[in-house]
């Protein structure tokens, strides 16, 4: 139907006859001369329909005058140099003088204009129109180039692309599984995979050495800007490796892919922080290193102070008192200080103390009265505070203080323009093996139950489970975890011991993970791997904060597809075929 793409018409084609197909982005009738900006996925070219005394004719001019917004067109014409050059588009030095205009499909009035800032709900309801917009086309093509670049890198290095099952066994650890009734096995269910974790480990036992998969994964969990019920990850696994083997390989991959897709040079070597150091300095296990602010521990300076909140946390095992200095922060008004307190409260803070130093160095702080003058001066000195600065203080349980002070750090970095316009990747390593779940009164795995502990002795691991470190690692970029992995447990006795520490008894472990334990008994090699979030990396590359912008058909934050109306009720007869009965909503037990 066409000879060329709209966005690829250039000066080399001047004098040639071309046939183009696309949508009318803009149509203008200027008193007998009509202009149409014709758009396809490659871009826009200006089409001119002129009166019959020039190259055009009356029928073409009339057809152009009748063109409406987003009409689907096929246009034939002659390429010529454009009088008024438009440097903003790739075809800005040429235009096409129409000799024939065919309306392939007339568009009805659209629910929103491509060039207006329509709300996300209407954009998602009419996603096919939203995806036509050049900015969405650009973001989706960034994602496409990302996946292509990853595949090229992996294929060139001997990784084997192996598909793993979508219908698998329910082994809930972490998020909820999506369940699929098995029609041929009444009362039994498949689960959609939360990741290919167990299958890729078994592939290492099977001798495939280097595996990868662009895998679709499913987790029945709450949605937000960087999460979806279904998502895509690059899954990788290596046999016969240590942590550094995996990290060095994938670090090179990410560096090369960023250069290939968006022409960004990442650091020649990514810095490494242990989990403990990241939490201490930045209050986060995915620190944004573009922000120069750091937390300072001041517990030793407040153990004997008169401010009970500080003193209690400083003297409590597992407590923390941390300070954050904000250069120039004294400019904050009382209302703005209260906003910081409200922000910290969202992350668990019961209060946010502060000390403001005016330009003369005089201190304004509601907690100063609890300290003698020299002790408070020493406290401020420990933070590095100077005239014109603000210092925020947080106290409480260690991880809780990390959470809310880390959130305050991020907010201050954005509010005060301290976020560098650059790319700051790093590795976070040596994560805790377990964390204690107060509600369930048991340990849970910080990464997943198949991550190997740094301790190789089972009795030592059991004796020191509270402080045990795992062989897990995350790749972080600009405050976003883009990849997470670990060295896996390859011995069945160690895997059983970890299950036991997680409160998974031998009978339950056999029922849920017996196939994995069996595989580990038959000469499983040491192995490890990592998974990268394709959606998250694509969003970073495209410069958007929401992964929904780089997913063709995403769900809303209420887990709905507004375009198709999913989820939707299913007729009783269809449910009966798979031996399922819907329970009325009012009688569903709460979590």
């Amino acid at each position: 139907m066409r000879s060329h793409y709209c966005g690829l018409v250039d000066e080399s084609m001047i004098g040639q006859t071309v046939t183009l197909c696309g949508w009318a982005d803009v149509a203008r009738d200027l008193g007998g001369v009509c202009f149409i900006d014709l758009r396809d996925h490659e871009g826009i070219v200006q089409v001119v329909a002129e009166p019959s005394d020039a190259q055009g004719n009356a029928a073409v001019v009339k057809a152009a005058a009748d063109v409406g917004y987003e009409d689907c067109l096929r246009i034939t014409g002659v390429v010529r140099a454009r009088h008024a050059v438009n440097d903003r588009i790739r075809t800005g030095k040429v235009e096409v003088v129409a000799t024939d205009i065919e309306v392939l499909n007339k568009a009805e009035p659209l629910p929103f204009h491509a060039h207006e800032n329509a709300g996300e709900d209407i954009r998602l309801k009419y996603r096919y129109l939203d995806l036509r917009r050049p900015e969405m086309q650009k973001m989706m093509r960034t994602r496409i180039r990302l996946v292509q670049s990853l595949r090229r890198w992996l294929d060139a290095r001997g990784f084997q692309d192996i598909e793993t099952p979508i219908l698998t066994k329910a082994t809930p650890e972490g998020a909820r599984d999506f369940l699929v009734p098995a029609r041929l096995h009444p009362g039994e269910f498949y689960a959609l995979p939360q990741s290919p974790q167990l299958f890729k480990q078994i592939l290492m036992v099977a001798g495939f050495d280097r595996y990868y998969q662009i895998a679709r994964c499913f987790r029945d969990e709450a949605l937000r800007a960087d999460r979806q019920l279904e998502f895509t990850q690059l899954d990788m696994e290596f046999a016969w490796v240590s942590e550094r083997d995996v990290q060095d390989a994938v670090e090179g991959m990410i560096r090369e892919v960023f250069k290939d897709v968006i022409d960004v040079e990442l650091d020649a070597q990514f810095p490494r922080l242990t989990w403990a150091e990241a939490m201490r300095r930045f209050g986060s296990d995915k620190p944004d290193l573009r922000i120069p602010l750091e937390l300072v521990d001041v517990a030793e300076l407040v153990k004997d102070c008169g401010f009970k909140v500080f003193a209690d946390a400083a003297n409590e095992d597992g407590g923390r008192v941390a300070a954050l200095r904000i250069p120039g922060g004294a400019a904050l008004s009382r209302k703005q200080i209260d906003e910081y307190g409200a922000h910290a409260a969202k992350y668990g803070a019961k209060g946010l103390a502060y000390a403001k130093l005016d330009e003369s160095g005089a201190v304004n702080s509601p907690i100063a009265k609890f300290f003698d003058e020299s002790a408070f001066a020493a406290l401020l000195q420990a933070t590095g505070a100077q005239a014109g600065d603000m210092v925020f203080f947080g106290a409480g349980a260690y991880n809780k203080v990390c959470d809310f002070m880390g959130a305050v750090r991020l907010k201050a970095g954005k509010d005060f323009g301290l976020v560098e316009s650059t790319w700051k990747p790093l590795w976070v390593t040596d994560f805790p093996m377990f964390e204690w779940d107060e509600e369930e009164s048991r340990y849970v795995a910080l990464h997943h139950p198949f991550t190997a502990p740094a301790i190789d002795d089972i009795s030592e691991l059991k004796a020191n489970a509270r402080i045990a470190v795992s062989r897990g690692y995350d790749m972080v970029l600009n405050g976003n975890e883009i990849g997470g992995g670990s060295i896996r447990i390859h011995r069945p006795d160690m895997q059983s011991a970890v299950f036991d520490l997680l409160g998974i008894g031998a009978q339950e472990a056999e029922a849920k993970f017996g196939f994995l334990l069996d595989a580990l008994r038959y000469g499983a090699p040491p192995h490890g791997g990592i998974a990268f979030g394709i959606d998250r990396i694509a969003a970073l590359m495209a410069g958007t904060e929401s992964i929904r912008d780089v997913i063709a058909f995403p769900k809303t934050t209420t887990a709905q597809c507004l375009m198709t109306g999913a989820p939707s009720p299913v007729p009783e007869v269809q449910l009966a075929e798979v031996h399922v009965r819907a329970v009325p909503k009012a009688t569903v037990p709460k979590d």
Side-chain angles (χ1 to χ4, degrees), residues 511-557:
K512 286 183 176 180
F513 308 109
F515 61 97
L516 173 67
L517 292 170
D518 284 346
L520 298 183
R521 293 184 182 106
Y522 294 107
H527 58 282
I530 193 166
F532 286 95
I534 297 290
D535 311 307
R536 204 169 290 178
I537 296 173
L540 285 168
M541 287 181 162
T544 179
E545 293 185 357
S546 174
I547 63 171
R548 290 191 291 277
D549 288 335
V550 293
I551 297 173
F553 302 104
K555 305 292 188 292
T556 66
T557 53

Side-chain angles (χ1 to χ4, degrees), residues 193-215:
Q194 295 188 30
S195 84
Q197 180 62 45
L198 300 184
F199 289 105
K200 67 181 182 178
Q201 288 190 241
I202 288 172
L203 285 170
M204 296 303 99
V205 181
F208 283 96
D209 198 78
R210 284 189 166 197
Y211 142 97
Y212 87 92
Q213 183 180 188
I214 307 293

Side-chain angles (χ1 to χ4, degrees), residues 442-503:
R442 69 177 182 96
Y443 287 116
V444 294
L446 196 67
H447 265 81
H448 55 59
F450 319 107
T451 296
I455 300 171
D456 198 42
D457 182 88
I458 290 174
S459 59
E460 188 179 349
L461 174 66
K462 289 185 174 182
N464 297 282
R466 188 179 66 84
I467 59 172
V469 171
S470 79
R471 299 178 69 182
Y473 38 82
D474 286 354
M475 185 185 287
V476 177
L477 180 61
N478 292 2
N480 299 273
E481 178 208 327
I482 62 170
S486 67
I487 298 301
R488 323 302 189 187
I489 298 169
H490 69 281
R491 288 175 18 218
D493 57 342
M494 177 62 79
Q495 187 63 80
S496 295
V498 169
F499 283 153
D500 187 53
L501 283 166
L502 294 171

Side-chain angles (χ1 to χ4, degrees), residues 285-313:
D285 59 5
K286 48 181 185 293
D288 190 341
L289 298 187
R290 296 174 301 165
I291 300 171
L293 307 178
E294 293 195 22
L295 305 182
V296 177
D297 282 314
V298 294
E300 290 299 321
L301 297 173
V302 299
K303 282 187 172 181
D304 300 317
C305 75
F307 189 40
K308 190 173 186 299
V309 174
F310 281 13
D312 285 353

